[in-house]
Amino acid sequence: MIATHEYVKDKFGEFNRLIFGGKLPLLPICMSNARTFLGACTFMRKRNWLGKTVLYDFKLKISKCLDLPENEIEDIIIHEMIHYYIAVNHMNDSSAHGILFRQMMNDINSKYGRHITISHKMTTEQRQKAADKGEKWHVVAVVSMKNGRIGVKVLPRTKSSIAKYYYGVMKSGEVDEVKLYICKDAYFNRFPASSALRVYYPPMEELTEHLKSARPLNITFA
């Protein structure tokens, strides 16, 4: 399933009563398009006039980019609720996932049959699945190297960024040719769009398949 705001809010209330004794104040719940994390509990810090650190502006963020089993989404929500409980109650831990966090996590797993883990960042495969959902226009540079390898780079859709990359890689001495295309295939969502002088090397048959709908980008640099 893909988490929704209503679902996360209902689960927050359910787990607050069941696991945390109803002691957690309701906080803003944000459904995120993030492709780097599955959940996060965020807050701000400031010092009051007594010099004491005050935490405020708590938010629970859950990614809606992946279709996950319901029990995994529940574990992600509880994971972030542990962070929230520790922070809102001013409890000191040895690190973000320190002794206190691990103790609470293990107690909850044991008592309620959960499978909460220390980290729930997206894997590379999950990031690719999340990125592959929507179509949008890409400027794609197909880079032929002098050693025969062929790679790809997605560029920002500005002439200056395209020129920066084009001239930058051509100066390297290792590049034989750069061909520019414009393409809407969602496959290219997985590659970061920047003018950084990098080349990615997906399997050639895979790249060729996803370039079938691409059109040559006719651009001249002054």
Side-chain angles (χ1 to χ4, degrees):
M1 65 174 290
I2 296 177
T4 65
H5 184 277
E6 182 179 4
Y7 175 84
V8 176
K9 183 178 179 180
D10 287 346
K11 286 298 178 181
F12 179 92
E14 176 186 336
F15 296 137
N16 191 18
R17 293 187 297 271
L18 178 66
I19 299 174
F20 299 94
K23 296 179 180 179
L24 290 176
L26 184 63
L27 76 172
I29 294 170
C30 307
M31 304 311 298
S32 171
N33 290 315
R35 296 169 182 168
T36 55
F37 68 85
L38 297 172
C41 176
T42 65
F43 53 84
M44 304 292 288
R45 300 173 186 266
K46 67 179 179 181
R47 288 189 179 275
N48 63 16
W49 64 281
L50 293 173
K52 183 178 179 180
T53 299
V54 177
L55 307 181
Y56 68 102
D57 195 23
F58 287 92
K59 291 184 178 69
L60 174 61
K61 298 181 180 180
I62 302 294
S63 176
K64 58 180 180 180
C65 284
L66 278 182
D67 189 347
L68 296 172
E70 184 173 7
N71 65 308
E72 290 188 27
I73 297 175
E74 290 179 342
D75 286 343
I76 291 166
I77 294 170
I78 298 170
H79 177 118
E80 299 309 327
M81 291 177 74
I82 297 174
H83 282 304
Y84 184 37
Y85 184 91
I86 291 172
V88 81
N89 287 289
H90 311 289
M91 302 166 75
N92 292 321
D93 204 352
S94 55
S95 64
H97 297 104
I99 296 172
L100 179 56
F101 181 96
R102 291 168 187 260
Q103 180 180 340
M104 291 183 65
M105 178 188 73
N106 291 334
D107 288 347
I108 292 170
N109 283 342
S110 176
K111 185 174 181 179
Y112 299 99
R114 306 305 315 186
H115 298 89
I116 307 163
T117 58
I118 292 298
S119 175
H120 50 230
K121 292 182 179 179
M122 287 190 187
T123 63
T124 299
E125 182 180 1
Q126 286 175 328
R127 284 196 298 271
Q128 290 178 350
K129 286 181 179 179
D132 283 347
K133 289 186 176 180
E135 290 187 344
K136 60 182 180 180
W137 288 108
H138 299 285
V139 172
V140 178
V142 176
V143 183
S144 299
M145 310 298 291
K146 290 182 178 179
N147 62 8
R149 296 184 75 190
I150 297 178
V152 66
K153 180 71 172 71
V154 174
L155 304 175
R157 292 181 296 170
T158 64
K159 188 173 182 179
S160 60
S161 296
I162 297 169
K164 178 182 177 182
Y165 181 81
Y166 181 89
Y167 288 119
V169 294
M170 290 302 294
K171 288 179 180 177
S172 70
E174 300 176 4
V175 175
D176 183 51
E177 184 182 35
V178 177
K179 292 184 178 180
L180 299 171
Y181 298 89
I182 185 164
C183 185
K184 205 174 183 180
D185 193 311
Y187 168 80
F188 294 102
N189 292 3
R190 67 182 62 185
F191 300 100
S194 75
S195 54
L197 301 182
R198 297 191 60 181
V199 181
Y200 297 89
Y201 297 97
M204 192 58 210
E205 62 275 12
E206 184 178 284
L207 179 59
T208 301
E209 176 66 25
H210 291 285
L211 281 172
K212 285 182 177 179
S213 61
R215 303 198 306 264
L217 178 63
N218 297 315
I219 185 171
T220 57
F221 305 118

